[in-house]
Amino acid sequence: MAFDSLFIGVTGLTAFQNQIDTISNNIANVGTVGFKGQDVTFQDLLYQNTGFASAPSQTRGGINAQQVGDGVKIGTVDTDWTQGGLQTTGINTNLAINGDGFFTLNNVDGSGSPVYTRGGDFSLNRSE
């Protein structure tokens, strides 16, 4: 039973460390153009039954099962897709998307697979 308590505590610390890492990443990228922050949600691990439920009788209501939780885990890490603020730069080649969507760019590594971005800091190539 003592090791169960330690395990439950470790699951909480592990999940909380993941949330701190996610928040740190959000803070580190606060100035990154087109960055989308993430939110962590937690989820209970399975419960162990320590006492069983009973049905109601003529004179007494039923009894709920007694359960002990096994800790916590990360349920989901969701990306916040809401649009950020638009800023005027005064540069004619800078673009912004108002609403859903991404700019589709050619990949410079020659793989042919496109790259998607919300950052619209574009410039013209020099003609040769």
Side-chain angles (χ1 to χ4, degrees):
M1 190 67 157
F3 289 114
D4 290 342
S5 298
L6 289 174
F7 174 75
I8 292 169
V10 168
T11 64
L13 291 171
T14 303
F16 191 63
Q17 181 63 50
N18 192 311
Q19 183 186 34
I20 290 173
D21 292 344
T22 303
I23 292 169
S24 298
N25 187 45
N26 290 343
I27 293 170
N29 285 291
V30 73
T32 303
V33 175
F35 177 76
K36 297 297 178 188
Q38 295 181 318
D39 298 314
V40 175
T41 57
F42 297 103
Q43 183 177 5
D44 288 340
L45 289 175
L46 297 175
Y47 285 92
Q48 295 176 3
N49 287 329
T50 58
F52 296 101
S54 65
S57 65
Q58 292 286 0
T59 59
R60 184 174 175 183
I63 298 174
N64 292 333
Q66 295 176 354
Q67 296 178 324
V68 175
D70 282 339
V72 67
K73 69 175 185 173
I74 298 297
T76 59
V77 178
D78 301 313
T79 302
D80 181 8
W81 291 101
T82 58
Q83 180 167 324
L86 299 179
Q87 295 179 342
T88 304
T89 63
I91 302 171
N92 291 336
T93 58
N94 286 358
L95 302 173
I97 297 175
N98 190 9
D100 295 338
F102 290 91
F103 294 111
T104 306
L105 308 175
N106 290 332
N107 198 335
V108 294
D109 68 1
S111 66
S113 60
V115 176
Y116 302 99
T117 183
R118 295 268 307 175
D121 184 16
F122 297 113
S123 61
L124 298 174
N125 289 345
R126 216 168 90 195
S127 304
E128 308 241 358

